[in-house]
Amino acid sequence: MTSQLRANWNWLIRLRSGWAISLLVLAFGGGALALALAAAWAGLRLNDSPSMPTGLYIRASSESNASLVVFCPADPFARLSVDRGYRSRGNCPDGAEPLAKPIVARAGDIVELSATGMVVNGRLLPNTPPLATDTAGQPLTHWRFGRYVVAPGAVWVASSYNSRSFDSRYFGPVDASQVRDHVRPLLSAP
């Protein structure tokens, strides 16, 4: 009789600990989901791409005080970036994630693109000479070299933080119709 009692007791303990673990997992999962939804509602984005410093970014209240833009690239550059693995799965029309890039030129600014790099209003941006190949050794075609006046409703984006960024050096200006959000850094690594 004692062994039967012990078996029943052990079964009851396992049953209760299983429920406790399930409730704990459910609580953590629900908490993580709630935190993610609250962050999205508040306009927070976590950046872990090498194009800009890792950190937490927040939706800007207006375009004028945003230093970064989140956008879905247009074809054929969207397809190229997916085919080469520059972008993961996401919610852009092509099924990939949006790009987030620093805005380097706005309407009325003058952009000069050459083998030396990108010059905006007479100032050469660091780390912007177009590269001939990507990190996998695949050829990259740069945007046509020349002098451009940024049109209303467009921006040019480039990462002076990382010379290997896929940005306006390769796909030119970003049209306002491609823009999902304007963001600015909240907390980021130097």
Side-chain angles (χ1 to χ4, degrees):
M1 186 70 165
T2 307
S3 64
Q4 181 62 35
L5 187 58
R6 183 174 293 131
N8 288 344
W9 181 252
N10 286 340
W11 177 81
L12 185 60
I13 289 173
R14 278 195 307 268
L15 180 66
R16 285 188 178 167
S17 64
W19 277 102
I21 290 171
S22 295
L23 286 174
L24 190 61
V25 168
L26 185 61
F28 278 120
L33 178 61
L35 185 60
L37 290 173
W41 178 79
L44 297 174
R45 299 179 62 87
L46 177 66
N47 175 63
D48 63 350
S49 82
S51 293
M52 37 190 225
T54 300
L56 192 59
Y57 293 78
I58 188 166
R59 185 179 305 123
S61 57
S62 72
E63 292 179 30
S64 62
N65 66 7
S67 56
L68 305 156
V69 67
V70 177
F71 65 98
C72 295
D75 275 327
F77 310 104
R79 178 61 32 216
L80 173 75
S81 64
V82 170
D83 291 347
R84 293 192 177 184
Y86 302 163
R87 297 164 54 221
S88 303
R89 292 183 54 87
N91 60 3
C92 283
D94 62 0
E97 69 183 344
L99 294 173
K101 302 288 179 184
I103 299 168
V104 296
R106 298 174 188 271
D109 288 341
I110 297 171
V111 176
E112 297 174 67
L113 186 61
S114 70
T116 308
M118 191 181 292
V119 174
V120 177
N121 298 329
R123 189 177 68 92
L124 177 64
L125 303 179
N127 294 319
T128 59
L131 303 174
T133 60
D134 64 13
T135 54
Q138 298 176 89
L140 280 171
T141 304
H142 60 78
W143 192 253
R144 190 171 51 92
F145 288 158
R147 185 173 192 262
Y148 302 90
V149 176
V150 182
V155 294
W156 283 61
V157 297
S159 176
S160 57
Y161 182 76
N162 183 342
S163 64
R164 293 222 159 262
S165 174
F166 186 62
D167 53 36
S168 288
R169 294 174 288 172
Y170 308 103
F171 51 74
V174 175
D175 188 75
S177 65
Q178 298 168 252
V179 174
R180 291 276 181 97
D181 259 328
H182 290 84
V183 297
R184 61 180 175 77
L186 184 62
L187 297 169
S188 61

